[in-house]
Amino acid sequence: MASSSASAVASEEAPRTREHVLVVDDDRTTRSMVCGVLRRDGWVVTEATDGQQAIEAVQQARPDLILMDVMMPGMDGHTACARIRAELADDALPIVMLTAADDLASIERAFDAGATDFITKPINWALLRERVRYALRGGRLARELRRARMRELAVRRIAGLGYWQWRLTDDTLSWSEEFEPLSGIRASSGVPREQFLQRVHPEDRLRLQSGMEAARQRLGRMDLEFRLTLGEGERILRVVGERGREGDDASLVFGVFHDLTLMRRTEALVDYLALHDEVTELPKRRLFLRQVDQALTDGGEGLWVVTADILRFGRLNESLGESSANQMLRQLGQRLRHLVDTGVLLQAARIDGDEFAWAQRVLPGQSLENALEAVLLALQEPLTLSGHEQALRLVFSAGCAAHPVHGLDAQTLLTLAQQAQRRARVQGRPWCVAELEQTDVRARQRQLMLEQALQGALQRGEFALVYQPQLDFARGRIVGCEALLRWRSPQLGAVPPGQFIGLLEDSGQIVEVGAWVLQEAARQAAAWERAGLPLRVGVNLSPRQFVSPHLPRHVEQALAVSAVTPALLELEITESLTMHDVEHAVALLQRFRSMGASVALDDFGVGHSSLAYVLQFPIDALKIDRAFVTHVTRGRTDRAIVRAIVALAQALGVETIAEGVESQRQCDFLEALGVTQVQGYLIGRPMEPADLEKLARQYRHPS
C-alpha cells in the first residue's frame, strides 16, 4: 500500500509531458548536478557551457525553459539572455538566471535582459525543483494565452470585428488594430473626434454625431451603420456601444465595431441578381411589376404597359449560337436602358427568354401609334455582332394595355399586354392593343368591390395619414411635410391611392373624408407643436372638396379643435382647381389666409393658368411638379422652367418646394437653382408620425 501511494504521489508531481530544459553553466560540477536533479524528475535536459552555445542550442531546438548562469567566460548570461529574447521574440519562454550575486543591481540587470526569474547560488535543490515547475507552468499558460490571443485576432480579422472607445475627458477615440486598415488611422493613437468625423461620409456624419451624443447622455445603446470615405472608395461599418457606469469607465463610451462592407456588397449583389437579368442587366418581371405599381401609385394617367418578343428567335438562337444570341440580347437591353435614361420610357425589363416589357406614358393628345412605333423602331435598328459580317435586323410583335382602361394594377396590365402581343404575332401585325371585351367584366367587378369596401371605411377607422418630409435648404432641417391618405382595408389590404381617390371623388365621399383629413392633419401638427417640433403640415384639397360650400367650415373646425398655430396647416390646391372660377378661388384663398392658414399652389408649371391670375392668388408657396425635377440634371429646358418658377416665387415673396427629389444630384441642382425646399424619396418616403418626428429631430442637411 505504501509503495502504491508513493507511486501515485510521484505520478502527480511528474510533468504531464516531457518538457525540455536547457541548462547553461560553465561550471561542470554545478551543471551536472542541476541536470541530474532535473532528469530524475522526468524532464528532458540538454546542456551548454557558455552563452554562445546556448544561442546555438536554442536555434536548433527551442526548449521550454532555460536555466542560465550569469557569470560565464566569453558571452555572459545577461548578454545571451538579451540575444535570445531578440532573436526568438518570444516572451512566453521562461529564462531563469543562476547567480551567486544577490545584490539588487545584479537582479535588476537580469530582468532588464529579459529574465523571467532568478535563483541564487549555492542552489537550494528543493527550491530549484519548485521554481522550475512554477516557471514551466507559467510558460505553458503564457503560450496558451498567446495562442488564444492569435486565434482571437484571426477571428476578429476574418469577421471584421474590433473594439473602440471614446474618452470623454479629452474627446478622443481609440480602437483595436483591426480598424487601422479600414480608416488609415493608427490604432494606438488617441484621435480627436472631429478629425475622425471628417472621414465619415457627409450624409452619415450628423447621424453618427447624434448617436454618439445620445450614448454620452446615457439615452440608450448606440447601434449605427455609417460609411467611411477612403480615397476613391468607402467602407460600411456598424458600431455598437454604450457609456460606462462606474469608476474610470464612467468617462468612457466603448463598444465594438463590425466591418459590413463585404456583407453589404454581397447582399446588394444578391438582391441585384435576384431582380435583374444578368445578360441584359434589365429588371426581371418581379422588379418590373413593383416599379409599374409604384408608377401607378404616383399617378397612372396615360400609362401603358407594352410587351414585345422577337419573331423567329428560336431559329436565330440555333443559327447564331448562344454567345452571339446573348450579344444580341445585351444590345437590346442597352437600347431599352437608354430609352429609360432619356425619359422616353418609365421602366423596361426582360421578362422571358426573348420577351421584353416596358412602361411608357401616352398623354391625351399624343398618338399611341407614334409613341409605340418610336420604341419599336429603336429596337429594330440593325445590330452588329462580333464574328458576323452582316448586320442583323430584328422584327418584333408587340402588345399593349393601358391604365385604367384595361386594368388597375401592373400584373393585370402585363397579362393583358402579353395576350395582345400573342394575338399580334398570330395575325402577323406589328402590335395590338388589349381588347376591351376581355377586360370590361374584370374591371367592373374590381371597381364594384372597391366601391362596396369604401362604404363606411371612414366610420370603421380604415383610413390613416402618412407624412412625407420637406427639407428647407437655408435652415438645413425638416420644416414641414405633406399629409397623404392611405386606405388599409381588412378585406383588400393596403389599396393604392390611385385606385380609391377617384372613387371617393366620384361618389362624393371625398368631402367627408377630406374633412377628416383636415382634422387629423391639424391634430398631428398640434401634437408636434406641443412637443417642441413645429412642423408645417400640407393637405391636398380635391376638386369636389374645393368647390364644396362646407370647406371653409371644415378648415375652421380643424384649426379650432386642434388649437394648432394656423400657419402650420397648409392647404394645397392645384392650378387646374383655380381656373374654373378664378374670382371664387381668390376669395376662398383669401378667406383661408384670414384664418391664418398657409396656402400652396401644387403641381405648378403643368397647368394652364395665366401668370396674371397667379399674381392675384394669395399663396405662401409654389410646389414645382415632379415632371420638371426628374430630368433637371440633364435637361436644359427643365432647368430653365425651374429657374423661371424660382424667379416668379422670389418676385411674389413665397417659398418654392420641389417634389419628387430622388437623388443627391437632383437635390444639389435644385439648391443651386434657388429652390428653397425639397420633398421626395431622397429626404424620406411617406412615413408614420413617430418616424417623421424622429427624422425631423435628427436630420441635418450637410452644408
Side-chain angles (χ1 to χ4, degrees), residues 466-479:
V466 293
Y467 302 87
Q468 187 167 29
Q470 296 167 339
L471 166 69
D472 185 282
F473 284 129
R475 285 175 277 185
R477 58 185 179 85
I478 305 299
V479 296

Side-chain angles (χ1 to χ4, degrees), residues 312-352:
R312 298 180 297 278
F313 176 74
R315 189 177 302 171
L316 282 171
N317 198 14
E318 291 178 2
S319 61
L320 293 174
E322 183 178 358
S323 176
S324 295
N326 283 342
Q327 280 188 57
M328 174 185 69
L329 294 171
R330 192 174 296 111
Q331 290 185 41
L332 291 176
Q334 291 172 349
R335 292 179 180 182
L336 285 170
R337 291 201 307 276
H338 175 72
L339 292 173
V340 172
D341 292 341
T342 55
V344 175
L345 303 179
L346 295 177
Q347 305 293 346
R350 182 188 180 192
I351 58 175
D352 205 350

Side-chain angles (χ1 to χ4, degrees), residues 203 206 468-482 535-536 623 655-661 663-664 666-668 670-671 674-684 692 695-696 698-703:
E203 295 177 7
L206 179 62
Q468 187 167 29
Q470 296 167 339
L471 166 69
D472 185 282
F473 284 129
R475 285 175 277 185
R477 58 185 179 85
I478 305 299
V479 296
C481 58
E482 181 178 354
L535 293 176
R536 182 191 66 241
K623 298 193 74 174
E655 303 282 352
T656 46
I657 306 173
E659 299 181 289
V661 178
S663 71
Q664 187 62 48
Q666 289 174 336
C667 189
D668 293 340
L670 292 168
E671 185 175 12
V675 172
T676 56
Q677 297 178 23
V678 289
Q679 169 184 340
Y681 286 176
L682 176 67
I683 312 304
L692 189 135
L695 175 67
Q698 295 181 353
Y699 191 96
R700 292 294 182 273
H701 182 61
S703 56

Side-chain angles (χ1 to χ4, degrees), residues 292 295-296 299-305 346 359-362 401-404 413:
V292 173
L296 293 173
E301 182 184 5
L303 189 145
W304 287 77
V305 171
L346 295 177
Q360 62 185 120
R361 290 197 189 277
V362 183
H403 173 277
L413 294 173

Side-chain angles (χ1 to χ4, degrees), residues 333-409:
Q334 291 172 349
R335 292 179 180 182
L336 285 170
R337 291 201 307 276
H338 175 72
L339 292 173
V340 172
D341 292 341
T342 55
V344 175
L345 303 179
L346 295 177
Q347 305 293 346
R350 182 188 180 192
I351 58 175
D352 205 350
D354 68 324
E355 189 173 8
F356 296 87
W358 62 85
Q360 62 185 120
R361 290 197 189 277
V362 183
L363 298 176
Q366 293 182 319
S367 167
L368 169 65
E369 181 177 359
N370 291 342
L372 182 56
E373 290 188 351
V375 179
L376 291 175
L377 286 173
L379 295 179
Q380 290 170 351
E381 285 290 322
L383 296 166
T384 302
L385 305 179
S386 60
H388 297 268
E389 295 182 0
Q390 293 186 340
L392 179 67
R393 184 184 295 272
L394 301 177
V395 180
F396 292 83
S397 61
C400 52
H403 173 277
V405 178
H406 301 108
L408 299 175
D409 60 85

Side-chain angles (χ1 to χ4, degrees), residues 421-436:
Q421 176 261 317
R422 286 192 287 271
R423 192 168 67 255
R425 186 172 62 241
V426 170
Q427 297 175 1
R429 299 168 58 186
W431 57 276
C432 281
V433 177
E435 295 180 347
L436 287 174

Side-chain angles (χ1 to χ4, degrees), residues 132-151:
V132 168
R133 282 195 180 91
Y134 178 82
L136 285 170
R137 184 166 64 249
R140 288 195 299 271
L141 292 174
R143 286 192 294 273
E144 182 57 36
L145 181 62
R146 185 178 60 193
R147 285 193 291 268
R149 171 64 176 163
M150 292 175 66
R151 287 193 295 267

